[in-house]
Amino acid sequence: MAVLPLLFLDVDGPLLPFGGDIAHHGPDHANPLLARLDPMHGPWLAALPCELVWATTWMDDANDLLVPLLGLPRLPVVTWQDDREAETADARRGLHWKTRGLAAWAGGRPFAWVDDEIGENDRAWTARHHPQALLHRVDPRRGLTDTDYLALDAWLRARQPC
């Protein structure tokens, strides 16, 4: 059976933008950030040719709170190792604390990572250690846009199994 590429998805910034004039998309929620969630992200994400995986500090709360609003099935969640020594060493190298963990979680599978905190050091490290990866930085003021979805779709389709 063919295995799809992974798409690691952060929440704060990509799905819940931090910008000023964000439209109120849904009903009032106990978490005021959820009003920033555009429910259309659900169908747009579901249309991408990949396996979606939460890569967020929201952990399983993303499944409990966001999935019902997006109309998605429960997604796998990346769990983070609590290794302060490795995190400190990565921080000295200018790596985001998620970078190594996502590459390890992917194993040899191609993956795209959508986050608002990706930097050039993350891209350089990933290019050396996991060349079948796209690190896609999203503007946290706007979140995922049509342009982002088009770029992700093109990259993922180019990595479809035969």
Side-chain angles (χ1 to χ4, degrees):
M1 180 167 158
V3 178
L4 293 171
L6 299 165
L7 190 150
F8 293 119
L9 185 59
D10 185 32
V11 171
D12 294 316
L15 293 178
L16 301 176
F18 298 116
D21 293 331
I22 301 300
H24 182 89
H25 291 288
D28 291 328
H29 300 281
N31 183 334
L33 290 177
L34 294 180
R36 295 179 173 196
L37 180 68
D38 184 342
M40 285 307 298
H41 284 302
W44 295 333
L45 289 166
L48 293 172
C50 63
E51 179 184 338
L52 296 170
V53 179
W54 293 120
T56 174
T57 57
W58 283 60
M59 305 293 290
D60 260 327
D61 286 345
N63 279 320
D64 296 338
L65 298 172
L66 298 176
V67 157
L69 300 173
L70 294 170
L72 294 172
R74 290 184 71 81
L75 304 177
V77 177
V78 174
T79 55
W80 310 106
Q81 298 298 318
D82 189 18
D83 186 346
R84 298 288 179 213
E85 189 174 312
E87 285 180 30
T88 300
D90 285 348
R92 279 193 296 257
R93 292 184 191 98
L95 289 181
H96 191 283
W97 60 270
K98 293 180 184 176
T99 306
R100 282 181 193 271
L102 294 179
W105 206 93
R109 288 174 72 178
F111 72 88
W113 171 23
V114 175
D115 205 305
D116 61 311
E117 297 180 346
I118 294 168
E120 289 308 313
N121 289 343
D122 302 304
R123 285 189 176 92
W125 185 92
T126 304
R128 287 190 309 274
H129 295 90
H130 199 103
Q132 283 293 307
L134 170 69
L135 275 59
H136 187 83
R137 186 182 183 284
V138 173
D139 182 340
R141 295 167 296 172
R142 286 180 284 186
L144 279 163
T145 65
D146 292 346
T147 303
D148 296 311
Y149 280 109
L150 290 171
L152 290 165
D153 187 68
W155 189 89
L156 291 163
R157 286 189 190 284
R159 276 131 193 101
Q160 290 303 296
C162 296

